[in-house]
Amino acid sequence: MSAEFDPLDYHNLTNHVVERLLQQTPFPLSGVDEFDGAGVYALFYTGDLACYASSRSTDFTRPIYVGKAVPSGARKGGIESGLAGKTLYKRLGEHRKSIEAAENLNIDDFMCRYLVVKPLWITAAEQWLIERFRPLWNVVVDGFGLHDPGSRRTPKRSPWDTLHRGRAAGWSSRVIENLTEAAILKMIANHTSEED
């Protein structure tokens, strides 16, 4: 006997948010018009870097990266939607700047879908997106979504910054090498073979 369908089940509600995100019109990451709200988003790569051939998405259904933007104070219980401001818009702007700074990426090769969501569902929707799509920049080439670690810390360079050098000094000149480019490319190849 099959289980009853519960439309209010946590996974069903979260999946509904994900499906709604994928119904949003994709737009170039280079030209995001200002908007209010917090929520989730998916970035799609359309370029021709060989290492990302399996993540190339011209129909904008297979993201290379997914993320969230929560309202300021959300970690301390400040999740009222009125406090969101332009949180999601600003987060997409940070990503645009990271891609534009990279020496081997072109911002014109990136499209985006975003969805303004009630804050309660944002984190769950991001986790569901990662589980469903296993985007390369979330699960293998880590570090794209990091914030600048600041001048007082000497962190290890992320795989993303190793492959895509060019972010400001805070990202690259002070850091210790973490993985070699060859090791990261091998990890990408392994991820790709697992997906096939």
Side-chain angles (χ1 to χ4, degrees), residues 90-104:
K90 289 177 182 176
R91 187 67 172 145
L92 294 175
E94 291 171 5
H95 290 330
R96 186 192 75 244
K97 289 176 186 174
S98 288
I99 291 169
E100 288 174 340
E103 297 168 357
N104 60 350

Side-chain angles (χ1 to χ4, degrees), residues 6-170:
D6 179 1
L8 297 180
D9 175 78
Y10 172 80
H11 292 293
N12 291 332
L13 288 168
T14 305
N15 194 49
H16 183 65
V17 174
V18 171
E19 293 299 329
R20 185 65 181 264
L21 170 67
L22 294 177
Q23 292 170 5
Q24 301 306 301
T25 302
F27 64 91
L29 187 57
S30 60
V32 182
D33 291 331
E34 195 169 307
F35 63 92
D36 292 322
V40 293
Y41 57 91
L43 303 183
F44 303 90
Y45 179 67
T46 63
D48 57 7
L49 278 178
C51 63
Y52 294 148
S54 68
S55 294
R56 190 170 190 272
S57 180
T58 54
D59 62 356
F60 317 118
T61 58
R62 183 175 182 162
I64 195 167
Y65 184 78
V66 298
K68 69 179 182 213
V70 296
S72 177
R75 292 186 319 168
K76 298 181 180 180
I79 61 170
E80 294 299 321
S81 59
L83 302 175
K86 300 186 185 315
T87 307
L88 183 50
Y89 168 75
K90 289 177 182 176
R91 187 67 172 145
L92 294 175
E94 291 171 5
H95 290 330
R96 186 192 75 244
K97 289 176 186 174
S98 288
I99 291 169
E100 288 174 340
E103 297 168 357
N104 60 350
L105 293 175
N106 185 334
I107 191 62
D108 294 332
D109 293 334
F110 290 86
M111 298 290 284
C112 178
R113 295 182 196 264
Y114 73 86
L115 181 66
V116 174
V117 179
K118 289 280 189 187
L120 175 66
W121 298 105
I122 294 173
T123 298
E126 180 198 36
Q127 291 172 347
W128 198 253
L129 283 163
I130 292 170
E131 288 175 18
R132 178 170 173 176
F133 293 108
R134 298 196 39 76
L136 196 58
W137 284 3
N138 291 90
V139 300
V140 178
V141 187
D142 193 30
F144 172 65
L146 296 174
H147 294 280
D148 189 329
S151 60
R152 295 183 186 198
R153 297 175 58 198
T154 307
K156 292 183 178 178
R157 180 180 286 124
S158 75
W160 193 90
D161 286 289
T162 297
L163 285 184
H164 306 297
R165 296 181 190 262
R167 285 204 264 202

